[in-house]
Amino acid sequence: MTDTLLAFLQTGEEIYEQHFLQLRLSQAEGKLIAGKSTFEHIDFHSSTFSLDCTDVVFENCNFTFCRLTDSSMLRVQFINCDFTGADFNESFLRNCKFSGCKAEMTNFNHCKFTDSTLSNCRMTAASMENCNLKKTKLEHLLLNQSYLNGTALKGIDLTSCTLSGLQLRQEDLKGSILTLDQAMEFLWMLQVKIKS
C-alpha cells in the first residue's frame, strides 16, 4: 500500500474513495490529489508536496517538517495530527477543521481560511502572519509566542485561547473578542502608564 500511495503522490493522479492506514512515506515528493478519502496513521515526515483535497480526513498523521505550500483544501479534517515545523505558506482552506493537532513552529503565513475551525490545538511559536480568517473560529488554542502580524482578528472570539507572548500589531487586534485578563496582556500596545 505504501508503493501505491507513493505512486499517487509522484504522478499527481487523483485518489478517490480510498482508505490508507499505517504507512510510512517520509521525504516523499509530489502532489496529493484526493477526494472522499481517509488517511490514518500515515507518516509523511519531511515530505514536500501540495495538497489538493476535497472531503478528506487525515487522522493521527505525522506532517512534521513537511513543506505543504500552495495547497488547496475543501472540507478537509485534520484530527490529532502533528504539524510541528510544517509549512502551509499561501494555502487555501475552506470549510476545514484542525482538531487536537500539534502545530508548534508551523508556518501558516499568507493562508486564506474560510468557514474553518481550529480547535484544541497546540500552536506555540506558530506563524500566521498576513492570513485571512474569514468566518473562521479559533477555539481552545495554545498560541503562546505565536506571530499574527498582519492578520485581522476583527470578530474573532479568542476568549478560550491562551495568548501569552502573542506577537501582533494593535490594528490586528482591533475588534477581536477577549477576556479581561487577555486584554491586560495587550496593554503594552497602548503605550500608557498605569497607576494604582
Side-chain angles (χ1 to χ4, degrees):
M1 203 61 135
T2 298
D3 291 340
T4 303
L5 183 53
L6 191 56
F8 278 117
L9 272 170
Q10 291 171 340
T11 63
E13 188 178 336
E14 183 179 10
I15 298 168
Y16 191 74
E17 293 184 344
Q18 297 289 315
H19 180 88
F20 293 93
L21 178 65
Q22 294 182 334
L23 301 175
R24 185 175 173 90
L25 291 168
S26 295
Q27 300 179 346
E29 293 185 13
K31 182 169 186 151
L32 181 60
I33 303 172
K36 295 186 179 180
S37 296
T38 305
F39 300 83
E40 292 183 72
H41 297 280
I42 309 296
D43 183 1
F44 293 107
H45 181 275
S46 298
S47 293
T48 301
F49 57 89
S50 62
L51 297 167
D52 186 351
C53 298
T54 302
D55 299 314
V56 171
V57 176
F58 293 93
E59 189 168 357
N60 295 305
C61 292
N62 179 5
F63 290 96
T64 56
F65 303 103
C66 282
R67 186 171 164 86
L68 306 166
T69 58
D70 297 312
S71 291
S72 179
M73 292 164 268
L74 174 63
R75 295 183 303 273
V76 174
Q77 293 182 58
F78 296 99
I79 303 164
N80 298 320
C81 293
D82 189 348
F83 294 100
T84 300
D87 185 359
F88 279 95
N89 193 46
E90 296 189 359
S91 292
F92 177 80
L93 302 98
R94 184 180 189 91
N95 289 52
C96 292
K97 184 168 185 171
F98 289 76
S99 179
C101 295
K102 183 178 178 184
E104 296 178 341
M105 299 178 292
T106 301
N107 178 7
F108 290 102
N109 291 344
H110 304 282
C111 286
K112 290 177 177 57
F113 291 87
T114 304
D115 295 312
S116 295
T117 302
L118 289 84
S119 66
N120 298 301
C121 296
R122 288 185 5 213
M123 299 179 67
T124 301
S127 186
M128 294 181 76
E129 296 186 306
N130 300 301
C131 284
N132 184 334
L133 302 177
K134 185 178 179 183
K135 297 182 184 176
T136 294
K137 295 178 185 174
L138 305 180
E139 302 170 340
H140 304 284
L141 301 181
L142 180 62
L143 287 166
N144 293 346
Q145 308 299 320
S146 291
Y147 301 87
L148 275 81
N149 292 308
T151 298
L153 298 171
K154 184 176 182 178
I156 304 283
D157 186 341
L158 298 168
T159 57
S160 65
C161 299
T162 303
L163 309 175
S164 180
L166 191 66
Q167 302 294 311
L168 73 169
R169 302 174 308 192
Q170 184 176 351
E171 57 266 28
D172 302 328
L173 196 59
K174 187 176 180 179
S176 64
I177 303 163
L178 302 170
T179 66
L180 183 57
D181 288 339
Q182 288 172 326
M184 296 295 281
E185 286 262 339
F186 299 107
L187 277 178
W188 62 269
M189 287 184 178
L190 300 176
Q191 299 177 1
V192 296
K193 292 181 183 179
I194 299 174
K195 288 174 109 178
S196 54

